[in-house]
Amino acid sequence: MPIQATIALMVIVFALVLAPFVIMIVTRALKRHHLAEKLAKRHGDAVHYAFILNPSKPQAETYREYITNYCNQRKFTYEIIDTQLDKDGRACALEALSNGANVVVAVGGDGTVRTVASAVSGQGHAMGIIPIGTGNLFARNMGIPVNDVEAALRVATSHGSRQVDVGRVTILDRPNEDHGHAFLIISGIGFDALMIDDTNPRLKKNLSWLAYFIAGVKHLFIPKYRATVTIQRINGNESVLKGLTFRTLMAGNCGQIPMFSLMPEAAYDDGVLDFEIIDTSVGLIGWANLFRGVVHQTLTGRALQQETLSAGSRIDQTQGFWAEVRLEKPAPVQVDGDILGYTKHLRFSVDKQALCVRVPASAKTSVTVGE
């Protein structure tokens, strides 16, 4: 074989042997280039936190200072937006989202939490909670630290999260309202709303939950309410209850309140609401029997069966996707302790797992990686 042909053949063989190594080197170089581009843009991926603060809370300024120091030390991108009399948590949260916030943190009580949740749910962004206030029921149900701002901040700025349901109350005889009112714990019509509305703020500050019971005594013997209630049950069937009389009708997402379990089977991520219809008669005996029944289901952790109640009181419990209530006379309605006023026609519904909530990794829930 001529020397020229031999040299050409050796070059071809050498090129074929080296080709895979050349391709590998080029591929790695391209990957490093793409990675460098991503790292160069990393500042644009930084999480933007928006803290929605209720300035009316006694500890609000202390919390503001702590949040500011905490975020500055960690070089977080953040903003603090105060709620106002004419600008509730929902409006503030919508403003924060329009500003580019990735995580919206409610800093306040149950009212601030629920109004922020109303805006954040279904938006694909996470919500954190830094509890201030008397109840903090939803925070407690989520295992979020209460009265520990640093621990709550760590949870709100971490990545452990839980998808939870959001209940909605739509006031159907107010056509000008453009959204349903969110609730994360319990919404109710009748006695419970009257009790909440009549609670003395000063007593609430000093006595906490006992203030509600004091207010409730005033309304034990008010006239009952009468309504037609339509419920879509979890089997898909609709039940119509005509001429239903009750003291209070509640829809629950979480059934746990301090000291008692109103709805032991309520789960905040099952996509259904737990409805409870409560009625009493025969005066104080009926209320005493009702109280005994609530204590019984709190201790047993099981929903009370009607046949276990004594005469003079009644608790009907069922689950469903929605319920519509038409009352014969206006009744007060509350959502997580906030009074919405009086109505004769409303609808309860639920948005399944519509809200991503930052929770502790140690919470007794299945923790996922959130935004």
Side-chain angles (χ1 to χ4, degrees):
M1 179 182 295
I3 187 64
Q4 294 85 351
T6 302
I7 294 173
L9 181 62
M10 290 177 64
V11 170
I12 292 171
V13 171
F14 188 70
L16 291 174
V17 171
L18 289 180
F21 295 99
V22 172
I23 293 171
M24 181 176 66
I25 292 170
V26 171
T27 301
R28 287 181 176 178
L30 288 172
K31 286 183 178 179
R32 284 196 297 270
H33 177 71
H34 290 312
L35 179 59
E37 286 185 335
K38 287 183 178 180
L39 291 174
K41 296 177 180 178
R42 189 60 181 263
H43 68 277
D45 295 333
V47 176
H48 175 177
Y49 294 97
F51 296 88
I52 311 302
L53 174 68
N54 181 352
S56 69
K57 295 294 183 181
Q59 300 166 286
E61 293 310 309
T62 301
Y63 276 53
R64 186 196 306 278
E65 182 178 355
Y66 203 103
I67 291 167
T68 300
N69 292 336
Y70 184 92
C71 292
N72 287 341
Q73 289 170 7
R74 290 157 180 80
K75 301 187 186 313
F76 287 165
T77 300
Y78 74 100
E79 61 182 312
I80 300 176
I81 303 175
D82 286 6
T83 62
Q84 301 170 20
L85 290 177
D86 58 348
K87 185 180 178 183
D88 66 2
R90 181 175 184 273
C92 292
L94 289 173
E95 177 184 330
L97 293 173
S98 69
N99 291 344
N102 306 107
V103 179
V104 183
V105 184
V107 187
D110 288 316
T112 305
V113 170
R114 76 159 195 90
T115 52
V116 170
S118 178
V120 177
S121 65
Q123 299 296 319
H125 296 288
M127 185 182 85
I129 300 172
I130 300 176
I132 312 177
T134 306
N136 301 306
L137 295 185
F138 186 69
R140 295 176 193 275
N141 274 276
M142 294 290 103
I144 295 169
V146 177
N147 299 323
D148 188 341
V149 60
E150 182 175 0
L153 263 169
R154 285 200 303 268
V155 172
T157 56
S158 69
H159 289 273
S161 60
R162 176 85 186 197
Q163 296 293 139
V164 303
D165 301 337
V166 176
R168 298 276 180 182
V169 174
T170 304
I171 310 298
L172 297 175
D173 49 8
R174 296 180 193 168
N176 293 329
E177 289 195 351
D178 61 353
H179 66 278
H181 300 272
F183 66 93
L184 299 172
I185 310 158
I186 292 175
S187 176
I189 317 166
F191 172 79
D192 68 317
L194 281 173
M195 177 180 67
I196 290 169
D197 192 32
D198 203 29
T199 299
N200 186 302
R202 184 174 299 177
L203 283 179
K204 182 179 175 183
K205 180 180 179 181
N206 295 326
L207 300 179
S208 187
W209 282 91
L210 289 176
Y212 289 112
F213 292 98
I214 294 172
V217 171
K218 304 177 186 178
H219 303 286
L220 291 179
F221 306 112
I222 63 167
K224 299 181 183 183
Y225 298 95
R226 185 179 177 91
T228 296
V229 180
T230 305
I231 301 175
Q232 185 186 53
R233 301 186 187 276
I234 56 176
N235 62 6
N237 295 333
E238 290 186 15
S239 298
V240 180
L241 308 174
K242 295 183 178 180
L244 180 70
T245 58
F246 58 86
R247 297 286 184 185
T248 191
L249 188 157
M250 294 183 288
N253 192 35
C254 299
Q256 304 297 321
I257 64 172
M259 298 184 290
F260 299 110
S261 178
L262 292 179
M263 302 172 186
E265 296 177 0
Y268 47 73
D269 59 358
D270 59 358
V272 301
L273 293 174
D274 285 59
F275 297 104
E276 190 165 273
I277 302 167
I278 295 176
D279 195 15
T280 66
S281 56
V282 299
L284 286 175
I285 294 176
W287 283 104
N289 288 335
L290 177 68
F291 181 76
R292 182 187 62 82
V294 172
V295 171
H296 178 269
Q297 70 179 15
T298 299
L299 294 175
T300 62
R302 296 192 301 271
L304 195 67
Q305 300 300 315
Q306 180 57 40
E307 55 268 20
T308 64
L309 275 173
S310 303
S313 60
R314 181 177 184 84
I315 300 179
D316 290 325
Q317 303 188 54
T318 189
Q319 293 182 320
F321 298 115
W322 57 263
E324 187 170 334
V325 183
R326 291 179 178 270
L327 293 131
E328 292 185 354
K329 63 179 182 179
V333 57
Q334 63 85 17
V335 283
D336 291 352
D338 288 341
I339 301 299
L340 299 181
Y342 282 69
T343 180
K344 291 179 65 177
H345 189 195
L346 76 162
R347 178 186 178 94
F348 298 107
S349 60
V350 62
D351 299 330
K352 183 177 181 179
Q353 297 186 8
L355 182 65
C356 178
V357 181
R358 291 281 173 88
V359 298
S362 60
K364 294 181 179 179
T365 58
S366 60
V367 177
T368 59
V369 176
E371 188 175 17

